[in-house]
Amino acid sequence: MAAIRFDIMTLFPELVDTVLGESIIGRARKNGIVEVFAHNIRDYSKDKFRRVDDTPYGGGKGMLMKPDPICDCFDAITAEFPQKPYTVYMSPKGTVFTQKKARELSRLSHIVILCGHYEGVDQRAIDAIVDEEISIGDYVLTGGEIPATVLVDAVSRLIDGVLADPECHEKESHTQNLLEYPQYTRPFDFRGVTVPEVLISGHHENIEKWRREEARKLTEKKRPDLLEDP
Ligand SMILES: C[S@@+](CC[C@H](N)C(=O)[O-])C[C@H]1O[C@@H](n2cnc3c(N)ncnc32)[C@H](O)[C@@H]1O
C-alpha cells in the first residue's frame, strides 16, 4: 500500500499528471510509495454540453464552477473509503502554504485536493466538502492545478523512501527556521572563483560550524522573519 494517496479534482487532469509524472515524484509513483489520481470534474456534469460553470448570482464578471459536478466527483472518489479523507481547496483566499504545513499534511495517508478555475467555486461546494483552503502565495493564478502540484510535490518529498537520502530534509531551507547554507560542487575553481577552503579541509566539525554560521547569516540577511518564528 502507498504511504500517501492524493485524489485531485480538476478540469485539467493531464496537466496535473504530466507535472507529477516526472523526476522524483514520478519515480515515487512508479515505486508505489505515492499514489496520485487526477479526476476530471467534467465527467460528472449532467449537462449535455458537459458544462461545469455558470454565471454568478448577483452579477459580476466571469464564470463560477457549479457545485453539483464537484460534489458528485467527490462522492465518487470517497465512496470506497469508510472515513472522509482530508480535503483541501487550493485557493488564493486560503492560508499560505509553508514547509510546516507540508510536514503536517505528510502525516496523513489520504488527501483530496480541489482545483478551482475561472472565477472560482460555488461556496456551497466548498462548505460541503472542504476541510482547509490553502494558497501557494499572495497572487492569483488562472487555476488550482499548479498550486495542487506544488502541494503534492512538497508533501511527497517528505515521505520516507521518496528522496534517496532521508537526511536531505534535515538541513534544508525552512526546516529549522533557517535558510540552507551555500553549497558548492566541482570544479574547485570556476572562472576564478574558488570553493571556501573549509569545505575541502576534511574537518567535519569545522565544516558543520561554517555551515551553521552561513545559514544563520543568510537567514538574517534574506529572511529575518524566519528567526522570529516560534
Ligand atoms: C482566477 S482564480 C479565482 C480567484 C477568485 N476570484 C478570488 O478573487 O479569490 C481561479 C482558481 O485558481 C486557483 N488559485 C488561484 N490563485 C491561487 C493561489 N495563489 N493559491 C492557490 N490556488 C490558487 C483557485 O483554485 C481558484 O479557484
Side-chain angles (χ1 to χ4, degrees):
M1 208 179 98
I4 192 162
R5 167 179 172 143
F6 298 94
D7 284 282
I8 304 178
M9 300 195 284
T10 168
L11 294 177
F12 300 95
E14 293 84 6
L15 201 164
V16 166
D17 254 334
T18 304
V19 175
L20 297 172
E22 298 291 331
S23 184
I24 295 169
I25 307 302
R27 205 160 46 239
R29 288 175 73 185
K30 281 195 195 93
N31 294 342
I33 305 170
V34 173
E35 279 182 328
V36 180
F37 298 98
H39 307 267
N40 194 340
I41 296 168
R42 204 175 288 284
D43 292 343
Y44 297 87
S45 168
K46 294 191 183 80
D47 186 284
K48 69 174 172 185
F49 301 110
R50 300 206 342 132
R51 278 182 57 182
V52 287
D53 58 318
D54 212 328
T55 52
Y57 276 112
K61 295 239 181 309
M63 302 296 272
L64 267 190
M65 285 174 70
K66 289 153 65 70
D68 32 337
I70 292 173
C71 289
D72 289 347
C73 177
F74 182 79
D75 290 346
I77 293 168
T78 54
E80 61 178 289
F81 298 99
Q83 276 188 331
K84 177 185 176 293
Y86 198 72
T87 304
V88 171
Y89 170 42
M90 304 313 305
S91 161
K93 296 183 214 168
T95 44
V96 176
F97 192 52
T98 58
Q99 187 67 13
K100 194 168 159 202
K101 176 56 71 178
R103 193 162 288 285
E104 203 182 299
L105 295 177
S106 73
R107 297 191 190 104
L108 300 175
S109 57
H110 189 186
I111 301 173
V112 175
I113 305 175
L114 170 62
C115 304
H117 230 87
Y118 316 119
E119 275 313 308
V121 171
D122 185 296
Q123 187 62 39
R124 291 165 295 179
I126 300 170
D127 294 342
I129 65 168
V130 171
D131 296 299
E132 183 170 13
E133 295 188 39
I134 297 182
S135 162
I136 61 158
D138 290 342
Y139 41 79
V140 179
L141 300 163
T142 55
E145 287 71 22
I146 292 169
T149 59
V150 168
L151 186 146
V152 171
D153 187 300
V155 171
S156 298
R157 68 193 291 288
L158 298 175
I159 305 289
D160 280 350
V162 171
L163 297 187
D165 183 350
E167 285 184 15
C168 285
H169 308 134
E170 281 173 20
K171 298 198 180 93
E172 254 176 358
S173 298
H174 301 288
T175 307
Q176 298 162 339
N177 288 5
L178 288 172
L179 301 178
E180 194 181 58
Y181 46 81
Q183 303 230 61
Y184 303 87
T185 185
R186 290 185 185 80
F188 175 73
D189 184 330
F190 174 66
R191 298 183 179 178
V193 184
T194 56
V195 171
E197 287 292 337
V198 64
L199 297 179
I200 54 159
S201 66
H203 194 299
H204 294 298
E205 242 172 70
N206 285 352
I207 293 173
E208 272 312 299
K209 185 165 169 275
W210 180 86
R211 285 179 168 165
R212 269 197 311 276
E213 284 168 4
E214 289 299 312
R216 189 152 188 101
K217 269 195 259 169
L218 203 68
T219 314
E220 268 165 9
K221 188 172 163 208
K222 290 188 172 175
R223 291 290 307 276
D225 57 300
L226 292 179
L227 296 168
E228 283 145 32
D229 228 21

